[in-house]
Amino acid sequence: MLRITDARTGEAVVAAPVRRGLTRVQAHASGYGAGSLRVLLVADVLVRALELGGTPVWALLTGEREQPELRSGATALGMHPFEDGQGLGSGVGEAQILHVVGEDGPEPDGVRIAVAPVDGAVPADPAVLRLALLSRPRTEPVRLDAAPLGEARETLVRWRRAVADWARRPSRPVPDAVRGRLRTAWEDDLDVPEVLRVLRWVEDAGPELPDGARFETYAYADRLLGLDLTRDLGAPL
């Protein structure tokens, strides 16, 4: 069961208190830039986590400025499409509304998920930006300089090549213990950096973990991460 910290109270709340009840995830972002894209990215990952748990989700974007640019940037980063949430009241049958906001953003009523700012320009490769932002807790500021972007780029190249190689071996199921670690991580306040640490452990695990299981683990985790880790399947190694 996914629990998320409400920035208003500092307390953890159940993200979807009614089983299979419609949950609204509303991102509040104005002005195109890395900080606004981070707000949308946190909302996107939250949507993915809820859907993996079987919760129907309604994703909305609210803001005053540069909304077409933000939507275009969100699409480039592989995010779910966001409907227009401007001036929208409560929807019929909603069990929960989760507002994803920047630290200096609006303060709507309801559960608020705060996102720390980003310093730096948006890089050319959207997948690199996505991984660089996912690698830090959402409550910590991020500086997009050469070091984190270079690390994200190298990790993406390495993981995509590894996934393509593992896919050539016989498929094996995701080990129950590994699946449990992944779900425990993202259901604990959407701890994506811990999800990435689990993937690094899987990458470095010894021969007791078959390559087919590594492949299935990465494919499963990528349903949350949205990094297109299976992109190079079938490409020459």
Side-chain angles (χ1 to χ4, degrees):
M1 180 180 295
L2 174 60
R3 299 182 68 85
I4 200 86
T5 299
D6 185 349
R8 298 174 309 158
T9 64
E11 300 293 331
V13 299
V14 177
V18 178
R19 180 173 175 79
R20 303 199 181 282
L22 177 63
T23 297
R24 183 203 298 185
V25 174
Q26 188 157 354
H28 299 260
S30 288
Y32 180 78
S36 292
L37 287 174
R38 191 185 194 189
V39 171
L40 267 64
L41 178 58
V42 170
D44 176 68
V45 175
L46 178 57
V47 168
R48 290 168 179 266
L50 288 166
E51 290 182 339
L52 281 166
T55 298
V57 185
W58 188 18
L60 303 170
L61 169 59
T62 299
E64 300 292 342
R65 296 180 291 109
E66 298 183 299
Q67 296 297 285
E69 292 85 352
L70 269 177
R71 292 180 186 279
S72 177
T75 299
L77 265 70
M79 298 186 200
H80 284 67
F82 291 88
E83 296 184 34
D84 184 8
Q86 194 70 25
L88 193 67
S90 296
V92 176
E94 286 178 338
Q96 178 82 292
I97 302 177
L98 304 172
H99 297 278
V100 184
V101 299
E103 285 186 347
D104 297 325
E107 298 182 356
D109 293 334
V111 177
R112 293 201 296 268
I113 296 122
V115 181
V118 180
D119 181 19
V122 176
D125 188 334
V128 169
L129 173 61
R130 187 173 181 113
L131 180 54
L133 294 178
L134 291 177
S135 297
R136 296 288 296 275
R138 67 175 184 276
T139 55
E140 294 183 6
V142 171
R143 181 174 179 81
L144 294 176
D145 54 21
L149 292 176
E151 181 181 353
R153 186 175 296 105
E154 292 173 4
T155 299
L156 271 177
V157 170
R158 187 177 74 251
W159 279 0
R160 285 171 172 171
R161 287 176 178 170
V163 167
D165 183 40
W166 296 333
R168 299 170 185 267
R169 311 297 196 275
S171 179
R172 295 289 187 272
V174 179
D176 290 342
V178 175
R179 185 186 296 269
R181 288 179 62 187
L182 289 169
R183 293 197 70 96
T184 296
W186 76 60
E187 290 182 351
D188 180 15
D189 201 24
L190 211 62
D191 189 354
V192 179
E194 178 62 22
V195 172
L196 297 174
R197 282 189 285 271
V198 173
L199 291 187
R200 293 187 185 97
W201 178 87
V202 169
E203 179 185 20
D204 296 334
E208 69 276 5
L209 187 61
D211 285 348
R214 297 180 212 264
F215 169 79
E216 295 295 346
T217 298
Y218 272 63
Y220 174 65
D222 204 34
R223 294 171 61 189
L224 176 85
L225 300 172
L227 295 171
D228 200 11
L229 295 178
T230 60
R231 189 193 69 176
D232 293 343
L233 262 62
L237 297 178

